[in-house]
Amino acid sequence: MAQPQNENEVDNDKKIKRVPYHFGEKLRAVRERKGYTLKTVAERAGVSESLVSQIERNRVSPAIDTLLALATVLDINLEFLFEEYRRERPVQIIRKEEGKKISEEDISFEELCRPESSDGNHSFEAFILRVPIASHTHKGSYGHLGREFGFILHGTAELHYENLIYELNEGDSVSFPAGAPHIIYNIGQVPLEAIWVVTPPQRFVQ
């Protein structure tokens, strides 16, 4: 039987789930800097003056279409509006079955970590790489900027890196500069499955 949560645990859960949206100060600051009145912004955004006033005072959270309309009228970049939200949400979670899936011919890539544009030079992507029997990856055969890391979950692979060949078995890991041509071959008798990390992102780019 599950034990009841104590008050501190409940409070911590609420703190994690509660994400306040305080766009008001920024909207008001930009509006005043541009010399627009509440009425002007409201008319151009197609909403009431009262609603704009309440949003600026953080009395109400705007619907997404209203927020987009106000951002357009005030010529505000959405990154500017959401930067506090990004700072308050440093943890990214991708639930099972929520990750994007893409294919390159018969090879599949299931997203494990979503690239963040705000990470700049530190941005990376992580995915489960699946290679059918007797097949191989294609895109890396030309090389690209950055670095790659892989961990073999199931099967047996060969990494062809420039003119070198490395055999990789279940439980092995590998990392290398991605600028040289590189191909992953499935040389085993079962579909190859591996966790792969690439920086900068190549496939799951926002």
Side-chain angles (χ1 to χ4, degrees):
M1 180 182 295
Q3 296 297 317
Q5 290 179 295
N6 62 42
E7 291 183 2
N8 289 336
E9 290 174 332
V10 173
D11 287 343
N12 287 337
D13 286 345
K14 288 180 179 178
K15 288 179 181 177
I16 292 171
K17 295 176 182 177
R18 185 172 61 250
V19 184
Y21 298 89
H22 295 306
F23 304 118
E25 294 90 344
K26 289 187 175 183
L27 293 171
R28 182 173 62 251
V30 173
R31 176 180 63 77
E32 291 176 347
R33 188 165 63 245
K34 289 179 176 292
Y36 293 165
T37 65
L38 283 170
K39 183 178 181 180
T40 298
V41 172
E43 289 178 347
R44 293 182 181 180
V47 297
S48 70
E49 185 176 341
S50 173
L51 177 59
V52 176
S53 177
Q54 291 183 70
I55 291 171
E56 288 192 350
R57 289 179 292 159
N58 293 311
R59 296 288 180 83
V60 298
S61 294
I64 187 62
D65 56 341
T66 300
L67 182 61
L68 291 173
L70 293 173
T72 299
V73 169
L74 296 171
D75 193 24
I76 295 177
N77 189 308
L78 291 181
E79 286 289 329
F80 170 69
L81 285 178
F82 283 93
E83 60 184 355
E84 277 79 16
Y85 170 76
R86 292 167 92 58
R87 282 200 294 266
E88 292 173 4
R89 299 282 293 199
V91 177
Q92 178 193 106
I93 296 176
I94 298 179
R95 302 294 183 187
K96 185 178 180 180
E97 304 302 332
E98 288 183 355
K100 296 179 182 177
K101 297 179 177 67
I102 61 174
S103 299
E104 292 174 4
E105 298 187 24
D106 58 343
I107 311 302
S108 71
F109 305 84
E110 181 179 347
E111 181 183 49
L112 295 176
C113 178
R114 190 162 296 138
E116 291 283 355
S117 58
S118 60
D119 287 343
N121 293 334
H122 302 292
S123 182
F124 67 94
E125 64 186 355
F127 49 85
I128 296 178
L129 169 68
R130 294 186 175 92
V131 183
I133 298 171
S135 188
H136 61 84
T137 59
H138 309 280
K139 192 171 184 179
S141 59
Y142 301 103
H144 56 84
L145 294 175
R147 191 169 183 85
E148 298 194 15
F149 164 83
F151 178 82
I152 307 301
L153 295 171
H154 302 293
T156 304
E158 269 188 358
L159 167 63
H160 290 217
Y161 186 83
E162 294 186 309
N163 60 341
L164 302 173
I165 297 176
Y166 303 89
E167 183 172 319
L168 301 168
N169 296 296
E170 187 172 316
D172 291 344
S173 61
V174 62
S175 62
F176 52 86
H182 50 279
I183 301 175
I184 303 296
Y185 286 85
N186 182 354
I187 62 170
Q189 301 304 308
V190 297
L192 176 67
E193 191 170 283
I195 293 176
W196 222 260
V197 181
V198 180
T199 181
Q202 298 293 312
R203 294 170 178 86
F204 295 97
V205 180
Q206 292 180 327

